[in-house]
Amino acid sequence: MAVSLPPELLEILTCPNCSSGLAVDHDREELVCTGPSCGLAYPIQDEIPVLLVDEARKPERG
């Protein structure tokens, strides 16, 4: 299922942890921080981004 957030919203949303931009991961239905040292992934539930650091998934280290 593809995430459908208004483009205007995506332009102003930032990571609450590091203030970097967020990118949509349609496969996982998440907003992923684009910051080089952060990378937290925030869930989208019922088309509403849950931008809480405590609810974010930590990046996979590889």
Side-chain angles (χ1 to χ4, degrees):
M1 181 171 156
V3 175
S4 62
L5 296 174
E8 301 84 19
L9 180 61
L10 290 172
E11 288 179 18
I12 61 172
L13 289 179
T14 60
C15 175
N17 187 56
C18 72
S19 300
S20 294
L22 296 169
V24 177
D25 181 338
H26 292 281
D27 294 333
R28 290 188 174 204
E29 295 186 10
E30 297 176 325
L31 291 177
V32 180
C33 176
T34 59
S37 62
C38 184
L40 291 176
Y42 299 92
I44 300 172
Q45 298 173 350
D46 298 321
E47 297 186 29
I48 300 171
V50 180
L51 298 177
L52 300 171
V53 174
D54 291 341
E55 298 289 322
R57 183 176 58 79
K58 299 202 180 343
E60 298 168 4
R61 301 287 179 196

